[in-house]
Amino acid sequence: MSQKPAMRLYDFPASGHAHRAVLMLSLLKLPFEKIFVDLMAGEQRRAKFLALNPFGTVPVLDDGGTIIADSVAILVYLALRYDPARTWLPQDPATAGEVQRWLSVAQGPVFNGPCSARLVSVFGAKLDHDRAIATSHSLFRVMDAHLTGRGVLVGADPTIADIAAYSYVAHAPEGGVGLADYPAIRAWLARIEALPGFVAMPASKLPDDS
Ligand SMILES: N[C@@H](CCC(=O)N[C@@H](CS)C(=O)NCC(=O)O)C(=O)O
């Protein structure tokens, strides 16, 4: 009897984008194999990887030959393919629109804010650190107000919006963006971390850590 091959996730452990996919796979209890892509050695720019994702970024999911690149695209795919109850990606238009709004936030201000600030601190990226920190705090003020009195970003149960936002918000302190002023964000992070199947992204060592 032929068995469906396990999913493969092209991954880099310190990538928050890749962590979104790892977390969703784990929350959905889906078996998968991690394929390490050595970003520091430039493996993402080699022909073999570019054939999977011409943009040269992780994560990429290979589900038995169905190739999905981009963290948010992977979240959408996994929710539609493996969550028939549709709790992770509700289908009524207003709620789906709200989820998409936060997916856009994950690929916009989260990328330009806490993700970019961390790229400077952890990886020495030549980006404007002050600007990334300011963008992070502008975002976090809005998120904290939004999350005050709510359990999750959209509706009553966690959705892929929470997963897309989680990784870089949780690791914002690694980029020099403290979360002390944002109690509602900290409570929300704790709720995501309490979900059955939650897996953390490894903490990154900063260049001046002893
Ligand atoms: N829009 C993409 C962005 C992914 C991304 O920027 N990945 C980074 C790691 S966090 C990467 O692979 N960078 C390699 C490079 O830029 O050379 C997604 O959401 O997956």
Side-chain angles (χ1 to χ4, degrees):
M1 205 170 86
S2 73
Q3 229 186 350
K4 195 174 185 300
M7 278 185 268
R8 308 173 112 206
L9 183 74
Y10 291 82
D11 176 49
F12 183 74
S15 161
H17 290 93
H19 179 256
R20 294 168 176 173
V22 170
L23 179 53
M24 193 72 235
L25 285 158
S26 177
L27 292 169
L28 290 172
K29 301 184 174 39
L30 296 167
F32 68 103
E33 179 191 357
K34 285 184 188 174
I35 313 285
F36 176 71
V37 181
D38 193 345
L39 298 186
M40 307 320 267
E43 198 180 338
Q44 73 277 27
R45 290 187 291 277
R46 295 192 194 132
K48 195 170 165 209
F49 186 80
L50 291 173
L52 292 170
N53 179 13
F55 287 106
T57 57
V58 295
V60 176
L61 182 74
D62 177 352
D63 185 8
T66 299
I67 307 294
I68 311 285
D70 187 278
S71 59
V72 162
I74 292 169
L75 297 183
V76 169
Y77 172 79
L78 291 174
L80 291 176
R81 176 79 181 77
Y82 292 107
D83 172 34
R86 297 283 182 266
T87 61
W88 288 100
L89 181 49
Q91 295 297 287
D92 73 278
T95 312
E98 271 294 288
V99 169
Q100 179 56 56
R101 174 189 180 219
W102 286 102
L103 298 180
S104 299
V105 170
Q107 300 298 63
V110 170
F111 182 78
N112 293 316
C115 170
S116 294
R118 184 171 168 274
L119 280 173
V120 175
S121 304
V122 176
F123 298 102
K126 302 270 177 276
L127 297 170
D128 185 337
H129 199 202
D130 289 342
R131 188 178 168 144
I133 289 172
T135 301
S136 304
H137 286 296
S138 299
L139 165 67
F140 289 173
R141 280 191 288 274
V142 174
M143 272 187 87
D144 200 69
H146 178 79
L147 283 165
T148 299
R150 287 172 197 264
V152 288
L153 286 171
V154 180
D157 296 310
T159 64
I160 59 171
D162 298 289
I163 306 311
Y166 171 83
S167 311
Y168 285 117
V169 175
H171 287 254
E174 292 172 4
V177 184
L179 295 171
D181 292 341
Y182 309 109
I185 290 180
R186 286 187 279 111
W188 166 75
L189 293 173
R191 280 192 288 277
I192 302 301
E193 287 155 11
L195 292 173
F198 173 83
V199 279
M201 177 162 83
S204 283
K205 193 167 155 45
L206 299 178
D208 56 358
D209 279 355
S210 52

